[in-house]
Amino acid sequence: MSDVSQIVIHIGSFEFQLHQSILVWLVICVLMAIVAYIAGKKIENADPSVAPKGIVYWSEELYNLCLYVIKGNLKETTAHYLPMFGTIMIGMLLSNLVGLVGFQNPTSNISFNATLALMFFLMIQFHGITKSGLIARLKELTEPMWLLTPLNVIGELATPISLTMRLFGNILAGTIISLLIYTVIKSVAPIGYIGLLITPFIHMYLDIFSGVIQTYIFFTLGTYFLGQQVAQQED
């Protein structure tokens, strides 16, 4: 798949293009579904008196990891949103790390990131309206004084834009930097091959560390804003 840039599907006069990043995301989704099914069967048959191991153990660790990221923001509503956000979180993490095996990161595609950010935005607005009503939600945009309404509207719209561009910029930048490093190494070969000694450390930061951090930041910020609408706020 790393040699496939896109798949073009023709339906009559309509042309539909699937970019490599989207193809990678579809493969990740299928693999996650298969693993989740197997893990579910293993968990159903697991003996609770025996310490978990294998896929059951790792499923519990991923569950606790996702719980750690979103529980502080969603509070009592965490159990309701955990299945969806936990699944997307793991998918995004894999999307950020898939560049390690030579595929294009789905998160380096701005449309992919914008879709996830728009999901958060629509959920925030939907719950804001259902919690207090449309009139009350619109009134929030005029607080603390009506002169600040334009700034409040911009602030609301800035949420999906910020989530999209932060993730897109960091993942794409890591991809570009890695490509430039390998280009330099190739251009000064064979001496440049010495540079391959440091590339594992570069990937540790650009792909692993940055990928994990960006996933954490995306869902921490997204669930924070959502939590303002769905979770009970402490006095």
Side-chain angles (χ1 to χ4, degrees), residues 101-156:
V101 293
F103 298 120
Q104 182 179 359
N105 305 84
T107 43
S108 66
N109 186 327
I110 192 170
S111 62
F112 176 88
N113 301 335
T115 300
L116 295 179
L118 183 61
M119 173 196 71
F120 268 114
F121 177 75
L122 294 177
M123 291 181 67
I124 292 169
Q125 302 308 317
F126 172 78
H127 286 291
I129 293 173
T130 55
K131 181 177 69 173
S132 305
L134 178 60
I135 301 300
R137 179 57 178 158
L138 293 175
K139 187 178 179 181
E140 290 180 7
L141 299 177
T142 65
E143 297 175 350
M145 61 179 64
W146 67 270
L147 290 175
L148 297 180
T149 301
L151 293 179
N152 292 334
V153 172
I154 293 174
E156 291 291 328

Side-chain angles (χ1 to χ4, degrees), residues 6-224:
Q6 64 182 15
I7 292 179
V8 180
I9 301 174
H10 294 278
I11 303 177
S13 60
F14 179 76
E15 182 178 283
F16 184 71
Q17 297 181 352
L18 284 177
H19 196 267
Q20 182 187 140
S21 58
I22 304 302
L23 295 174
V24 172
W25 172 247
L26 292 176
V27 171
I28 290 175
C29 290
V30 171
L31 293 178
M32 285 181 58
I34 294 173
V35 173
Y37 177 80
I38 297 173
K41 291 296 183 181
K42 292 285 187 180
I43 292 173
E44 287 180 359
N45 300 323
D47 185 352
S49 63
V50 179
K53 59 182 180 180
I55 194 171
V56 176
Y57 170 78
W58 287 109
S59 296
E60 290 187 1
E61 289 299 309
L62 287 174
Y63 172 85
N64 291 328
L65 176 63
C66 296
L67 196 66
Y68 170 79
V69 174
I70 70 175
K71 186 176 181 179
N73 293 326
L74 296 179
K75 300 181 176 64
E76 74 280 355
T77 64
T78 300
H80 177 72
Y81 291 101
L82 183 60
M84 180 179 68
F85 287 153
T87 302
I88 300 175
M89 192 185 308
I90 295 171
M92 178 181 289
L93 180 59
L94 293 175
S95 298
N96 289 342
L97 298 178
V98 76
L100 289 170
V101 293
F103 298 120
Q104 182 179 359
N105 305 84
T107 43
S108 66
N109 186 327
I110 192 170
S111 62
F112 176 88
N113 301 335
T115 300
L116 295 179
L118 183 61
M119 173 196 71
F120 268 114
F121 177 75
L122 294 177
M123 291 181 67
I124 292 169
Q125 302 308 317
F126 172 78
H127 286 291
I129 293 173
T130 55
K131 181 177 69 173
S132 305
L134 178 60
I135 301 300
R137 179 57 178 158
L138 293 175
K139 187 178 179 181
E140 290 180 7
L141 299 177
T142 65
E143 297 175 350
M145 61 179 64
W146 67 270
L147 290 175
L148 297 180
T149 301
L151 293 179
N152 292 334
V153 172
I154 293 174
E156 291 291 328
L157 296 177
T159 299
I161 296 175
S162 174
L163 290 174
T164 299
M165 300 310 297
R166 179 184 289 107
L167 180 61
F168 170 71
N170 281 277
I171 300 302
L172 182 63
T175 302
I176 293 175
I177 292 173
S178 298
L179 179 61
L180 289 175
I181 291 173
Y182 282 110
T183 300
V184 171
I185 291 175
K186 183 178 179 180
S187 64
V188 294
I191 299 176
Y193 291 141
I194 298 176
L196 295 176
L197 297 175
I198 66 171
T199 52
F201 301 99
I202 295 173
H203 283 293
M204 285 178 62
Y205 175 78
L206 295 179
D207 290 311
I208 300 177
F209 178 76
S210 181
V212 172
I213 290 298
Q214 290 308 314
T215 301
Y216 174 79
I217 292 175
F218 187 94
F219 280 92
T220 299
L221 291 177
T223 55
Y224 170 78

